[in-house]
Amino acid sequence: DVKVTQSSRYLVKRTGEKVFLECVQDMDHENMFWYRQDPGLGLRLIYFSYDVKMKEKGDIPEGYSVSREKKERFSLILESASTNQTSMYLCASSWLGLPGGYFGPGTRLTVT
Amino acid sequence: RKEVEQDPGPFNVPEGATVAFNCTYSNSASQSFFWYRQDCRKEPKLLMSVYSSGNEDGRFTAQLNRASQYISLLIRDSKLSDSATYLCAVIVNSGNTPLVFGKGTRLSVIA
């Protein structure tokens, strides 16, 4: 079974803090993605990566950065957390050329 | 027009009923299509891919209508456990591009 894990299920941070969300997949997938999901807005793509050290902006990259130093790990960084970044963050991975993603369990982040 | 649109519902149906959802996409060059299921406070899980020839998996049937640019999901003999949000997802262009998701359709199956 494909396994995508995320470092935390629930996280509470204060405004202005730097936040790291980690995602690890164990299926040797080339592609990895970060989405956020908000009521009424659905899943929105933040960043994605097709290979190590490679990254592409998604639809809403502002306020976020990413890092992919190893194939299995894709990190999402909130440089200075703000209350409007309170959301459910979902990581996904897939094989190159075989679309369809497998999601991690999500991290529910609250910024106060 | 949004790239991928779904009726948010909710669809409230009795057990045993047949229910169908549609999902429209705006880009005629869209290549790949999927249905995901998402339970409350859980991650989306891939339910099935949608092929040009249609795809059936037990009580679930997915179909693609390229001429009208929509995909559909049919659930027969609904179970209480089918209650969830169903998301459609589309690869808008060819190649290795990310999925674009609809906002989902909420289904409640009632005893």
Side-chain angles (χ1 to χ4, degrees), chain B residues 69-108:
Chain B
Q69 294 184 205
Y70 73 88
I71 61 172
S72 63
L73 179 67
L74 181 79
I75 306 174
R76 289 180 296 278
D77 189 22
S78 298
K79 312 290 184 193
L80 294 175
S81 57
D82 293 333
S83 297
T85 297
Y86 291 85
L87 305 168
C88 67
V90 175
I91 299 283
V92 175
N93 297 306
S94 60
N96 201 31
T97 54
L99 289 165
V100 178
F101 285 87
K103 293 181 181 179
T105 297
R106 175 94 181 102
L107 170 67
S108 290

Side-chain angles (χ1 to χ4, degrees), chain A residues 12-94:
Chain A
V12 179
K13 295 292 182 181
R14 293 198 181 274
T15 301
E17 279 193 80
K18 191 168 186 175
V19 182
F20 293 87
L21 302 182
E22 301 281 333
C23 175
V24 178
Q25 50 93 4
D26 67 358
M27 286 301 294
D28 202 34
H29 287 169
E30 291 86 1
N31 303 334
M32 296 189 75
F33 310 88
W34 275 106
Y35 293 88
R36 63 178 283 180
Q37 188 173 34
D38 302 285
L41 296 177
L43 279 160
R44 293 181 290 167
L45 182 66
I46 305 171
Y47 267 97
F48 58 101
S49 169
Y50 293 143
D51 202 351
V52 175
K53 296 192 186 296
M54 177 272 177
K55 60 186 178 184
E56 293 280 349
K57 292 180 179 179
D59 299 318
I60 52 163
E62 296 78 20
Y64 304 94
S65 62
V66 290
S67 172
R68 193 161 180 205
E69 296 295 319
K70 293 185 177 182
K71 189 175 185 180
E72 67 270 19
R73 188 178 299 269
F74 192 35
S75 302
L76 180 69
I77 304 151
L78 287 66
E79 295 290 342
S80 177
S82 63
T83 55
N84 63 12
Q85 292 178 311
T86 291
S87 186
M88 169 68 91
Y89 288 89
L90 289 154
C91 174
S93 70
S94 69

